[in-house]
Amino acid sequence: MTTLDTRPHITDEVPGNYLTFRRGILSWIFTLDHKRIGVMYLVAVLSSFFVGGVMALLVRTKLLFPGEVSWMTADQYNKAFTLHGAIMVFLVIIPSIPAALGNFVLPIMLGAKDVAFPRLNLFSFYLWVMGAACAVYSLLAGGFDTGWTFYTPYSSQFGAGGTIPVLVGVFILGFSSIFTGLNFIVTIHKLRPPGMTWFRMPLFLWAVYATAIIQVLATPVLGITVALLVVERAFNIGIFDASMGGDPVLFQHFFWFYSHPAVYIMILPGMGIISEIIAVHSHRHIFGFRFIAFSSIAIAIFSFLVWGHHMFTSGQSPLMNVLFSAITFSVAIPSAVKVFNWLATLYKGSISLNTTMLYGLAFIFLFTIGGLTGIPLAVLSTDIHLHDTYYVVAHFHYVMMGSALIAMVGGLHHWWPKMTGRMFSEFWGRIGCTLVFVGFNVTFFTQFMLGSQGMPRRYYAYQPEFKMYHHISTGGSYIMGIGFVITAIYLIHSLFAGKKAPANPWGGASLEWQCSSPPPHDNFATTPRVGDCYDFSAVHWDEKLQGYVVDTEAHVAAARSDSASGKGH
Amino acid sequence: MTNLISTLLLQSSSGASGDTTLATGQAVTPKTFWLPQGASTFAREIDWVFEFINYINYFFFFLVVGIMLYFVWKYRQKGREVYARGPSHNTMLELGWTILPTIIVVVIFFMGFSGFVDMRTPPANAYQIDVTATRWNWVFKYPNGATSDDLYVPAGKPVKLVMRSEDVLHSLYIRDFRVKQDVVPGRYSTLWFQADQPTAEGEFHWLFCTEFCGTGHSSMSRKVYVMNEMDFDSWLVEQGRWLDKIDPAELYFKAGPKLYARCAGCHTLDGKPGTGPSWGDYDGSGNVWKRSSDPNSTHKVDQKAISELIGPGKQFENAQSYIRASILNPNQHIVDGFGPAMPTFRGQLNDKAIDALIGMMQHLDEFDTKSPWAKKSDGAAAPAAK
């Protein structure tokens, strides 16, 4: 217990940075430091990403062959794609940006010493670990093969032996997510420094705030839904199972009431990261701050009203289908607004084409495709043809992976020097990014054709006419896999042999670039003064430091005169 | 990319020529880069909406990516002092790109809406076919009581499928008709279409299950044959009687394999484990007939030797009765090592069909366990009369 972090009582000067502040495994296990918790989340999430990625490659490799293969039965295939989906959604994408990157960056961006509830923060992390442990246990108990959507009555009557453990895991992970959201909402409300009004707050925080609202409001519904499913499966109480008087479609309503907003839990923080990356690496003021900020809130609100568009063929009433289709289009507007604003931010910028920015541009490219291909899925008559085909698979991979995960990897590069104090190799970074980008498009663009030609999803065996597209798609997934392996290698290599990072390698103006890299244990010795985080006029290159410095006096003064003359946001 | 564009241009011109051929009775649109052939009356409109959206999408995609690449090249970083002065907002511009997409999506919504309402409103005179989905079979039942494993429909006539599921969710999808509807246990769902052109000899449309339903999900693919009305009527009469017309002496040999096709998803013949126990020898107690009829069988059901169930004075007088009960009330007794997964075939197999199946079990040695007649993909399994 002596190594328990007792920071509130520490008064002597802070030695070194947060990594060297205390040493030993216990100083990590019991840490209350948001940065260390963020790093632990990051390691955990990236490890899960590796496992989920291996599952994806197994699935793709099986699909090289149209018929049966001796090394993977249909049941094993079903378990592999289910595991891939469940890991990527619940263990990777949902916690990746808010819990891993958000935890690290959010308090520093606010100039705060920590989140509002550091102990709750650590508890969230251990809930994540428990949830992951349940998932591992379910594999030992026979695995689960229901698809990540757990549709009844398959999941309640038939699914493999590990179904209940994994549902318990999802229940626990839900609480991890709720507590993180709660923590962030309170932190953003209460711990902003003087001078940081809502409209001086970085857009990443707007996005995380909108996300946190969804996490707190939607996740309990998932919790109670999986709890009901466990009750039905374990005690044969008919809730969703028609043979016991329940209604299978009810489950779909409950499930998507959470899982559609969850899509925005995944993509919104990604959009926030892109707003940061595009502005900082274009070295110019973000275009249309208010439109971007409000579009985050609009997306958060609309996200609760569109769940039925997952169920156009489920047998819900045609009137419901029409209403849900109409409301679904409303999500397209704020998404389009964001894309146009990012483009306008490039206009008259000074664009650094470094690895981070390449990820930012890749996001705009991929998100545009992901968003536009959502239109034929929202249109009732065309969705009937495309529903549950590879078209849907391609669409949501463009949004979930091409957008949310690419933004996460972009954010990881953006803040890597801050988190680790080391610079990664730009050369290998660009190669890795290019391979991931090319591999991704080869993998998933072909799946649009597969789907619109009528190939259903979750198929172990398929008609030989689809073979060519499957081969191209699998080839792309290998390219992407190589890209990610290269990325992992140069990032890990940089930890040991990377150049020391300056405090501000990219020329950012928000607060996290004004403390050292890596940040000291308490982030800031005194509450920092805040200027306009997208005003780069006071940012200059310092040859001696090999990084940028922000002239705080000029920065804050510019913001003051802006607000005085009413020119601010 | 130029290839893609030329394909698309070709496609739109072929679409236009399709319109003219429609007037002359050509009711099937050919397969294009994006879409499979369109063989129902819905296909033309849905394809048009899909292509229309595609063109809007190409426009916005090339606009966004074009502007992005141009800006990235034009405003690339020069030197280390990088502060750039650009406008931080422009309310008119931003309102413009909020309102313009709004108008476009409202238009698109209405295009999809009208097509959808048609698809959900079957005409009153539609020809009804009842569909039962189980893991992992479709049974199509026609008004005269005939059943089939593949779907046969009359051309030029609206057809309405009334569907139910006996176990989990399934979804019936005929891609060339652009129709899809989930099949939900505990309720009836319907779907309708009209295919105007009979399928040519040797051709068919694929029917897929598109709601994940477990091990055999991807083996629920069946064929859809469109026949002109006269052919359909005579097929229907034949189909209703095909079992009756078979000589009792040849019943097991001629009807057995066709009926077994429905069992093949779960029960193999070669002893390999499936969802259900193999009909072949898998536990050393012989094939399904031998292990049920042998009084010294080591085969175990409900954790007991099967001989405790079968024999004079026991629950089942003989092996035939046991097998018959297993088909009609499958979950009453469960073979060790397997779960209660089999749906009942009550109402789907009549006495003669069950006789044929039992006959096939008795003569299992005469059948090639790996021969393709048991496989769906082979034409021999299709119960077509022709």
Side-chain angles (χ1 to χ4, degrees):
Chain A
M1 287 306 279
T2 48
T3 42
L4 182 66
D5 182 348
T6 52
R7 185 191 44 239
H9 308 290
I10 287 176
T11 47
D12 39 326
E13 81 280 13
V14 178
N17 59 52
Y18 80 100
L19 293 167
T20 55
F21 177 67
R22 284 189 184 279
R23 291 184 185 279
I25 184 80
L26 289 178
S27 76
W28 282 86
I29 290 175
F30 293 112
T31 187
L32 297 179
D33 181 358
H34 69 98
K35 298 182 288 296
R36 286 190 165 197
I37 295 173
V39 169
M40 291 196 295
Y41 260 120
L42 190 67
V43 172
V45 162
L46 291 178
S47 314
S48 309
F49 178 64
F50 175 77
V51 178
V54 169
M55 287 300 140
L57 289 176
L58 276 177
V59 165
R60 285 283 5 138
T61 305
K62 154 65 194 79
L63 291 171
L64 283 174
F65 309 94
E68 272 183 66
V69 292
S70 58
W71 49 273
M72 191 186 238
T73 64
D75 284 329
Q76 288 165 337
Y77 173 84
N78 294 343
K79 285 177 187 172
F81 79 67
T82 301
L83 198 57
H84 164 70
I87 286 181
M88 289 303 195
V89 170
F90 294 114
L91 291 179
V92 179
I93 307 181
I94 287 179
S96 67
I97 298 177
L101 295 179
N103 239 321
F104 192 95
V105 177
L106 180 138
I108 313 183
M109 274 185 152
L110 291 173
K113 290 186 187 301
D114 211 314
V115 292
F117 307 119
R119 286 183 174 78
L120 187 66
N121 199 17
L122 185 66
F123 184 52
S124 292
F125 175 71
Y126 283 113
L127 282 179
W128 185 97
V129 172
M130 282 165 65
C134 286
V136 172
Y137 172 74
S138 87
L139 295 181
L140 304 176
F144 52 109
D145 64 345
T146 56
W148 78 277
T149 47
F150 302 114
Y151 270 15
T152 53
Y154 185 80
S155 54
S156 57
Q157 282 183 6
F158 296 102
T163 306
I164 288 183
V166 78
L167 288 171
V168 172
V170 168
F171 184 83
I172 295 172
L173 287 169
F175 277 96
S176 165
S177 186
I178 292 170
F179 291 151
T180 301
L182 194 69
N183 219 334
F184 286 180
I185 289 176
V186 176
T187 308
I188 288 174
H189 270 279
K190 291 312 220 184
L191 298 185
R192 275 176 293 134
M196 187 186 278
T197 61
W198 283 95
F199 292 110
R200 287 235 186 281
M201 194 167 78
L203 285 165
F204 177 62
L205 299 188
W206 270 88
V208 168
Y209 182 77
T211 308
I213 290 174
I214 310 178
Q215 284 177 305
V216 169
L217 292 183
T219 316
V221 179
L222 176 74
I224 199 71
T225 308
V226 298
L228 288 173
L229 183 50
V230 168
V231 165
E232 173 164 299
R233 190 175 161 103
F235 306 116
N236 280 328
I237 294 171
I239 298 159
F240 306 122
D241 187 345
S243 64
M244 296 186 283
D247 183 357
V249 180
L250 181 68
F251 176 84
Q252 297 178 31
H253 279 292
F254 283 177
F255 182 80
W256 290 114
F257 186 84
Y258 164 77
S259 292
H260 194 79
V263 169
Y264 298 95
I265 293 178
M266 300 184 230
I267 188 69
L268 267 174
M271 291 168 159
I273 287 181
I274 297 306
S275 298
E276 298 300 318
I277 290 180
I278 299 286
V280 170
H281 296 266
S282 300
H283 305 280
R284 98 195 249 331
H285 200 288
I286 189 92
F287 187 90
F289 181 99
R290 279 174 190 251
F291 268 73
I292 298 183
F294 282 128
S295 64
S296 290
I297 302 298
I299 288 175
I301 294 169
F302 291 145
S303 74
F304 282 97
L305 305 175
V306 299
W307 79 88
H309 70 213
H310 296 268
M311 301 166 57
F312 286 161
T313 69
S314 71
Q316 73 179 353
S317 83
L319 177 66
M320 297 283 271
N321 284 343
V322 171
L323 289 175
F324 278 120
S325 167
I327 303 170
T328 298
F329 284 107
S330 64
V331 182
I333 313 300
S335 308
V337 166
K338 279 183 193 281
V339 171
F340 293 138
N341 276 298
W342 292 324
L343 281 185
T345 305
L346 296 173
Y347 174 64
K348 290 200 171 168
S350 173
I351 299 164
S352 320
L353 266 182
N354 52 28
T355 307
T356 312
M357 189 60 167
L358 286 180
Y359 276 108
L361 298 173
F363 176 97
I364 295 181
F365 183 100
L366 300 172
F367 180 69
T368 302
I369 296 181
L372 291 173
T373 53
I375 297 176
L377 295 173
V379 171
L380 287 167
S381 63
T382 49
D383 178 67
I384 300 297
H385 175 57
L386 300 170
H387 183 76
D388 270 335
T389 67
Y390 267 73
Y391 197 93
V392 177
V393 176
H395 162 72
F396 73 70
H397 277 91
Y398 264 86
V399 180
M400 299 290 80
M401 183 178 186
S403 307
L405 249 164
I406 289 292
M408 145 82 183
V409 178
L412 184 63
H413 284 80
H414 188 62
W415 287 304
W416 184 262
K418 183 57 62 184
M419 300 173 89
T420 64
R422 301 287 182 165
M423 300 300 286
F424 53 83
S425 157
E426 265 301 323
F427 173 77
W428 285 106
R430 288 173 200 188
I431 289 182
C433 178
T434 309
L435 285 175
V436 168
F437 177 75
V438 171
F440 179 86
N441 282 293
V442 173
T443 308
F444 291 109
F445 201 84
T446 42
Q447 296 188 4
F448 284 120
M449 278 83 88
L450 264 180
S452 67
Q453 290 288 353
M455 165 88 202
R457 64 193 284 203
R458 297 174 169 171
Y459 261 32
Y460 170 70
Y462 57 87
Q463 320 310 334
E465 67 176 282
F466 299 120
K467 206 163 150 184
M468 181 188 77
Y469 285 133
H470 275 301
H471 283 187
I472 297 172
S473 184
T474 302
S477 70
Y478 295 155
I479 299 174
M480 196 167 27
I482 294 169
F484 278 120
V485 168
I486 289 175
T487 306
I489 291 173
Y490 72 73
L491 284 180
I492 293 169
H493 180 256
S494 79
L495 291 179
F496 304 102
K499 225 169 56 175
K500 281 228 180 321
N504 191 352
W506 317 124
S510 44
L511 288 178
E512 82 269 30
W513 304 112
Q514 297 176 32
C515 62
S516 57
S517 297
H521 177 71
D522 271 341
N523 302 344
F524 299 96
T526 54
T527 306
R529 287 187 300 158
V530 187
D532 177 350
C533 58
Y534 296 109
D535 173 14
F536 298 100
S537 61
V539 182
H540 301 288
W541 175 256
D542 187 318
E543 199 57 46
K544 212 167 70 209
L545 294 175
Q546 282 297 300
Y548 291 87
V549 284
V550 181
D551 179 349
T552 318
E553 292 303 324
H555 191 57
V556 174
R560 286 233 180 84
S561 74
D562 265 8
S563 351
S565 65
K567 274 195 328 186
H569 300 293
Chain B
M1 204 45 99
T2 47
N3 265 341
L4 180 70
I5 292 165
S6 61
T7 320
L8 295 165
L9 289 176
L10 275 177
Q11 208 179 299
S12 64
S13 63
S14 74
S17 66
D19 279 327
T20 52
T21 49
L22 176 71
T24 62
Q26 182 74 12
V28 174
T29 56
K31 175 179 154 77
T32 64
F33 178 75
W34 283 109
L35 293 164
Q37 60 166 269
S40 77
T41 49
F42 299 132
R44 191 169 301 272
E45 186 190 338
I46 292 170
D47 293 0
W48 191 85
V49 175
F50 182 76
E51 292 294 353
F52 177 80
I53 296 169
N54 264 358
Y55 282 109
I56 290 179
N57 284 354
Y58 299 140
F59 173 77
F60 278 104
F61 172 72
F62 287 115
L63 183 80
V64 167
V65 172
I67 290 175
M68 181 177 92
L69 293 178
Y70 175 71
F71 283 171
V72 166
W73 173 77
K74 176 100 197 273
Y75 302 112
R76 63 194 181 278
Q77 175 184 346
K78 292 156 189 139
R80 286 294 196 181
E81 279 302 328
V82 288
Y83 168 57
R85 220 178 274 272
S88 72
H89 63 103
N90 179 330
T91 309
M92 286 316 287
L93 188 64
E94 291 173 73
L95 278 179
W97 67 45
T98 309
I99 294 167
L100 180 74
T102 310
I103 296 171
I104 294 176
V105 296
V106 168
V107 171
I108 293 177
F109 163 75
F110 277 103
M111 291 169 62
F113 167 67
S114 66
F116 175 77
V117 172
D118 292 344
M119 294 172 82
R120 282 290 174 268
T121 320
N125 64 341
Y127 183 83
Q128 183 174 327
I129 299 174
D130 294 333
V131 182
T132 307
T134 56
R135 301 186 322 152
W136 293 280
N137 276 307
W138 299 100
V139 176
F140 302 101
K141 192 166 187 178
Y142 302 84
N144 71 344
T147 60
S148 67
D149 293 349
D150 288 318
L151 177 61
Y152 294 78
V153 296
K157 207 174 178 182
V159 173
K160 177 172 146 188
L161 305 182
V162 177
M163 310 184 288
R164 65 186 186 90
S165 165
E166 292 209 339
D167 38 47
V168 300
L169 295 173
H170 300 276
S171 186
L172 186 140
Y173 173 42
I174 307 172
R175 59 170 183 171
D176 293 349
F177 296 173
R178 313 282 188 267
V179 291
K180 182 181 289 134
Q181 177 64 46
D182 286 10
V183 187
V184 183
R187 51 168 96 173
Y188 292 95
S189 51
T190 60
L191 170 157
W192 84 276
F193 54 81
Q194 176 174 337
D196 282 339
Q197 185 170 308
T199 42
E201 192 66 41
E203 285 184 12
F204 57 87
H205 306 290
W206 278 115
L207 178 153
F208 295 127
C209 175
T210 47
E211 192 65 77
F212 178 69
C213 55
T215 316
H217 174 47
S218 66
S219 65
M220 282 180 78
S221 310
R222 297 291 181 269
K223 292 163 183 170
V224 180
Y225 298 95
V226 183
M227 303 163 108
N228 69 44
E229 217 165 332
M230 263 173 54
D231 288 350
F232 179 75
D233 287 342
S234 55
W235 171 83
L236 198 57
V237 172
E238 289 282 300
Q239 183 69 8
R241 283 191 310 209
W242 72 277
L243 205 51
D244 299 332
K245 284 170 54 180
I246 295 174
D247 184 334
E250 292 182 311
L251 188 64
Y252 79 88
F253 194 73
K254 282 199 168 158
K258 283 183 187 177
L259 292 163
Y260 166 73
R262 276 192 216 169
C263 319
C266 301
H267 302 281
T268 65
L269 294 181
D270 57 5
K272 260 210 259 165
T275 304
S278 174
W279 285 13
D281 182 12
Y282 71 97
D283 61 355
S285 60
N287 70 33
V288 60
W289 177 252
K290 189 156 172 274
R291 67 190 179 228
S292 313
S293 55
D294 178 3
N296 301 320
S297 171
T298 56
H299 186 62
K300 294 215 161 182
V301 175
D302 298 339
Q303 278 108 41
K304 295 175 294 207
I306 192 170
S307 48
E308 291 186 31
L309 284 173
I310 304 173
K314 299 185 184 151
Q315 186 177 355
F316 301 103
E317 276 293 309
N318 46 39
Q320 283 93 329
S321 306
Y322 168 74
I323 293 168
R324 184 186 156 85
S326 302
I327 292 172
L328 298 180
N329 190 7
N331 297 332
Q332 188 185 7
H333 300 287
I334 305 287
V335 175
D336 283 17
F338 296 89
M342 182 165 157
T344 174
F345 284 83
R346 193 182 296 277
Q348 295 182 23
L349 296 176
N350 59 22
D351 288 349
K352 195 156 184 188
I354 293 172
D355 284 350
L357 283 171
I358 293 175
M360 179 173 167
M361 291 176 183
Q362 286 171 313
H363 299 87
L364 212 52
D365 298 341
E366 297 170 28
F367 294 90
D368 182 355
T369 55
K370 292 205 168 58
S371 128
W373 54 256
K375 290 267 195 298
K376 274 286 155 200
S377 56
D378 183 62
K386 281 189 274 188

